[in-house]
Amino acid sequence: MANLFEPEYSVKETVRRKYDAIAKGERESGYCMLEDSDYGDQSGYQVDADLGLGCGTPVDFADLKLGEAVLDLGSGAGLDAMIASPIVGDKGKVIGVDFAPEMIAKARKNIAEIVLDNISFIEGDIEQLPIEDSSIDVVISNCTLNLVPDKAKAFSEVFRVLRPGGRFAISDVVTVGPRNSLIIQEIEQIAGCAAGVAEMEVYLRLISDIGFKRVRLVTMRMLKIVHEHDGFVSLTICGKRPF
């Protein structure tokens, strides 16, 4: 597991190795953040794409429309992208970006098996997205940005790729209250998502400071990973890039 004091490149490489191993079935995904709320009854759902890695259902809050261009950050095996695909339709498109090569391979295999022509998956770093400026209508992400060392850079990239008036719906994990490094290390061993988790007020302020407007918290749920009051929360946040 990543050490809290590892340099950025080492944290990234640790995360990459972990998710490559999950994609190849060499290790379990770990603690499941979701309870009753999932995509299981929605069009586009494929069980092979559901690795239990999400902490929310951001597509439910993205207000997707026919013909829109959607970018899924940390797309994993393709679940959220596949849920978005039938909503935006043949005239829309969904692009998944993930920096774990084995996850990209698994996602491509999953969509090939059910022939979804409006989805593509590309390998890339969220801190340097391989996406053109102002080319995306909606950005979604599910329990990924907590793994990114430089969240300011990641949200700046989200701002850059969104069209003016574009929006995001992001599910993620944050902390509330005082940070306990021992609990964080314990949770990192179990869930593998704790090392880069930000405090909620800092996280929300960062998003606003980047320039997003109408930033709002649409879901929030306390997580019990180890103890009754770990201070970890799963949430979904929506916001817009101004015109």
Side-chain angles (χ1 to χ4, degrees), residues 17-123:
R17 290 197 302 267
K18 171 192 171 180
Y19 284 89
D20 274 341
I22 292 172
K24 292 188 289 186
E26 295 175 355
R27 63 171 291 174
E28 297 295 324
S29 59
Y31 178 84
C32 183
M33 300 289 177
L34 289 176
E35 291 180 339
D36 297 329
S37 178
D38 60 37
Y39 292 133
D41 60 350
Q42 296 193 34
S43 176
Y45 179 84
Q46 184 185 1
V47 67
D48 287 343
D50 189 351
L51 302 181
L53 296 170
C55 60
T57 54
V59 177
D60 289 342
F61 303 95
D63 191 27
L64 300 181
K65 299 176 177 60
L66 286 172
E68 288 191 315
V70 179
L71 175 63
D72 181 12
L73 303 181
S75 48
L79 178 61
D80 294 273
M82 293 168 70
I83 297 296
S85 170
I87 303 175
V88 300
D90 293 340
K91 293 184 178 179
K93 65 179 179 180
V94 183
I95 304 169
V97 173
D98 201 290
F99 83 154
E102 294 295 337
M103 278 294 183
I104 291 293
K106 187 172 182 64
R108 288 172 176 166
K109 179 176 183 291
N110 287 336
I111 61 169
E113 290 178 354
I114 57 175
V115 192
L116 291 174
D117 295 329
N118 65 346
I119 303 183
S120 60
F121 293 101
I122 55 179
E123 187 177 339

Side-chain angles (χ1 to χ4, degrees), residues 61 73 81 98 107 132 134 161 171 184-185 189 240:
F61 303 95
L73 303 181
D98 201 290
E132 293 182 4
S134 304
V161 303
S171 296
I184 289 175
Q185 288 178 347
Q189 294 296 322
K240 296 191 71 172

Side-chain angles (χ1 to χ4, degrees), residues 68-242:
E68 288 191 315
V70 179
L71 175 63
D72 181 12
L73 303 181
S75 48
L79 178 61
D80 294 273
M82 293 168 70
I83 297 296
S85 170
I87 303 175
V88 300
D90 293 340
K91 293 184 178 179
K93 65 179 179 180
V94 183
I95 304 169
V97 173
D98 201 290
F99 83 154
E102 294 295 337
M103 278 294 183
I104 291 293
K106 187 172 182 64
R108 288 172 176 166
K109 179 176 183 291
N110 287 336
I111 61 169
E113 290 178 354
I114 57 175
V115 192
L116 291 174
D117 295 329
N118 65 346
I119 303 183
S120 60
F121 293 101
I122 55 179
E123 187 177 339
D125 190 329
I126 291 174
E127 294 177 4
Q128 293 180 298
L129 287 170
I131 305 294
E132 293 182 4
D133 294 359
S134 304
S135 61
I136 299 296
D137 295 300
V138 187
V139 170
I140 60 173
S141 185
N142 197 345
C143 209
T144 295
L145 291 173
N146 61 84
L147 303 170
V148 176
D150 192 336
K151 291 173 180 53
K153 186 179 290 187
F155 275 104
S156 294
E157 283 290 272
V158 172
F159 193 95
R160 177 184 67 80
V161 303
L162 280 173
R163 295 187 175 109
R167 60 199 186 278
F168 69 80
I170 290 174
S171 296
D172 212 351
V173 175
V174 298
T175 61
V176 292
R179 291 173 64 88
N180 184 318
S181 61
L182 293 178
I183 290 178
I184 289 175
Q185 288 178 347
E186 189 174 1
I187 291 174
E188 174 64 20
Q189 294 296 322
I190 295 171
C193 68
V197 171
E199 199 278 327
M200 184 167 68
E201 288 188 10
V202 173
Y203 191 96
L204 294 173
R205 184 167 62 249
L206 181 153
I207 295 171
S208 295
D209 288 348
I210 295 297
F212 288 105
K213 303 299 182 184
R214 296 173 60 184
V215 177
R216 64 195 191 280
L217 186 63
V218 295
T219 69
M220 177 175 169
R221 179 171 61 86
M222 297 297 297
L223 297 172
K224 179 185 175 183
I225 302 176
V226 180
H227 309 287
E228 188 65 37
H229 302 289
D230 289 327
F232 276 65
V233 171
S234 67
L235 48 73
T236 300
I237 304 168
C238 294
K240 296 191 71 172
R241 174 180 170 175

